[in-house]
Amino acid sequence: MTSEVVVPIENEQWYSQLIEDCKDIITEAVFTSRWALVEGYHQLGERIVTDSDYNKWEQNKAGLVLQGLAKDINISERSLYYAIQFYEKYPRLDAVPEGKNITWNKIITKYLPTPKVESTPLATIPNVTLIHGDMLNEVPKLGQFDLIIADPPYNVTNWEWDKIPEYKQQVIQWLKILKPALAPEYQFFWFCSPRWATDTELIFRELDIPIKSRIVWHRRNMSMGSDAKDKFIDSWEMVVHSGNTSLNFPDEWDSSRFDVQTFAVPQTNFSDAKLHPTQKPLELIKWLVSYGSRPEQKVLDPFAGAGTTGVACAGFRPCVLIERELEYVNVIKNRLGL
């Protein structure tokens, strides 16, 4: 009896060609017009659906090929699912409702079914504790942490949870709660908008929290919604760094030690999919976790949002997440498999 030799899918020529074709379609679509984006997703769905090798492998692998393809072309699995559903429902573009005036977002929200294929949740992540509550009430119960990463509301958007009339007083209150939660040897990263950077520094000084670094996160992808006529468009956010022990830098010296770092804002069509309006990039948070702590040291995120800090800790560091809004508590549960 002869055994079948199974060739890894990444070594298959058809799969390599599928990846290249999908990347080309995405690149062409994203940087042109609104209708071109709709056409691009239609072409993407067509390219995948009509590939006989893809269909054969996907039938046997029960969704795993789609997951792998999403990762290899740096797009979310949800977006690939929508592209496939779009082509299957409307094989001809002239049958799309509302014609060329329709947006891709309206297509997926009004005319396509909710995805039934999702990435496997990170259910194997140990030592992540999620608390639904207000950090002002919860942090004093938790003891001390070696690393705190705090991404509070910025008071710059129209989201209800981001509208804070006495913002400076609120920041003082938050920091007064977090300061006693810092371990005797600690690292502390606090995100803030450029609009409030000066006030934030003054508050740190007032509370005797020493500033070691002013990290600039440069957002390399910007939306037209950020356009302005009377000022330059801000493309960065500050991370105020405080600490009283050495950072966990690797032995080799490279640009990851610099205080200006560039990471793309999460988007719905990225593998780092957008799940929260002010979500920070996973790679940025991984960078802070990696250099701000060591394995098995305790990490706290008192404004958890989409739970990115929990993902970044990924089982190597015990992590506590606190989130006040129930909507995002549920997002975190789904994302982490909690």
Side-chain angles (χ1 to χ4, degrees):
M1 180 178 179
T2 59
S3 59
E4 181 183 359
V5 177
V6 179
V7 179
I9 190 170
E10 58 268 22
N11 294 338
E12 292 280 335
Q13 185 176 357
W14 70 265
Y15 186 68
S16 298
Q17 187 61 53
L18 179 61
I19 290 173
E20 291 304 312
D21 289 350
C22 288
K23 284 182 176 180
D24 288 344
I25 291 169
I26 293 167
T27 301
E28 177 67 24
V30 167
F31 293 102
T32 50
S33 69
R34 182 171 67 179
W35 176 247
L37 185 63
V38 174
E39 289 180 313
Y41 277 111
H42 191 268
Q43 292 171 19
L44 189 62
E46 180 181 16
R47 177 63 182 85
I48 297 169
V49 169
T50 58
D51 192 302
S52 58
D53 289 305
Y54 167 83
N55 287 308
K56 180 175 65 177
W57 278 70
E58 180 68 6
Q59 186 175 12
N60 294 329
K61 298 295 183 180
L64 294 179
V65 179
L66 185 66
Q67 290 182 21
L69 180 61
K71 180 179 179 181
D72 287 333
I73 64 176
N74 195 32
I75 191 173
S76 71
E77 185 184 343
R78 176 183 292 263
S79 294
L80 277 191
Y81 173 87
Y82 278 133
I84 290 169
Q85 292 296 311
F86 182 40
Y87 175 74
E88 289 180 338
K89 187 171 183 179
Y90 304 107
R92 292 172 42 239
L93 273 173
D94 58 11
V96 175
E98 303 181 43
K100 293 187 177 182
N101 291 320
I102 199 168
T103 63
W104 175 243
N105 185 64
K106 190 170 185 180
I107 289 172
I108 63 177
T109 55
K110 185 174 181 179
Y111 295 105
L112 297 182
T114 302
K116 54 189 176 185
V117 179
E118 294 289 346
S119 297
T120 304
L122 303 176
T124 58
I125 293 182
N127 300 329
V128 175
T129 301
L130 172 60
I131 299 172
H132 178 205
D134 191 315
M135 61 85 69
L136 295 173
N137 300 323
E138 302 300 332
V139 170
K141 306 174 187 176
L142 300 175
Q144 294 184 316
F145 293 84
D146 304 286
L147 169 64
I148 296 179
I149 298 176
D151 180 19
Y154 281 8
N155 194 39
V156 296
T157 73
N158 290 322
W159 295 97
E160 285 303 316
W161 44 262
D162 196 47
K163 297 177 181 178
I164 304 171
E166 299 295 331
Y167 187 64
K168 286 191 285 187
Q169 291 304 313
Q170 182 65 78
V171 171
I172 292 171
Q173 192 176 11
W174 285 330
L175 288 172
K176 283 184 175 179
I177 288 291
L178 289 175
K179 186 178 178 181
L182 295 167
E185 294 186 349
Y186 72 89
Q187 300 293 343
F188 180 28
F189 298 105
W190 178 273
F191 283 80
C192 71
S193 163
R195 187 182 305 178
W196 292 100
T198 300
D199 297 285
T200 300
E201 281 212 27
L202 292 173
I203 292 170
F204 266 67
R205 295 178 188 278
E206 178 185 332
L207 298 179
D208 195 26
I209 304 175
I211 296 175
K212 287 297 184 72
S213 314
R214 296 160 184 82
I215 300 167
V216 171
W217 164 42
H218 172 233
R219 305 183 299 256
R220 72 173 182 231
N221 54 333
M222 296 293 298
S223 66
M224 288 300 293
S226 300
D227 202 359
K229 303 297 184 185
D230 60 344
K231 63 171 185 160
F232 294 101
I233 301 170
D234 65 85
S235 61
W236 64 281
E237 291 174 27
M238 181 187 274
V239 187
V240 180
H241 165 224
S242 177
N244 63 0
T245 186
S246 60
L247 290 161
N248 187 31
F249 287 131
D251 293 334
E252 63 274 13
W253 196 97
D254 60 21
S255 61
S256 65
R257 295 170 179 253
F258 294 170
D259 58 6
V260 177
Q261 297 288 325
T262 300
F263 297 95
V265 178
Q267 301 288 338
T268 54
N269 62 332
F270 284 9
S271 56
D272 185 12
K274 185 175 182 178
L275 304 170
H276 185 283
T278 60
Q279 182 178 330
K280 301 304 182 286
L282 176 58
E283 292 305 313
L284 168 59
I285 301 302
K286 281 184 177 180
W287 179 69
L288 295 176
V289 169
S290 175
Y291 290 171
S293 64
R294 288 162 175 80
E296 304 308 321
Q297 289 190 320
K298 293 173 62 180
V299 180
L300 170 67
D301 184 340
F303 307 95
T308 302
T309 301
V311 180
C313 288
F316 297 105
R317 288 146 172 89
C319 177
V320 176
L321 306 174
I322 302 173
E323 176 53 43
R324 189 180 65 181
E325 304 296 326
L326 179 59
E327 175 184 358
Y328 296 110
V329 169
N330 291 329
V331 167
I332 296 169
K333 286 181 178 179
N334 183 61
R335 189 178 187 189
L336 299 182
L338 299 175

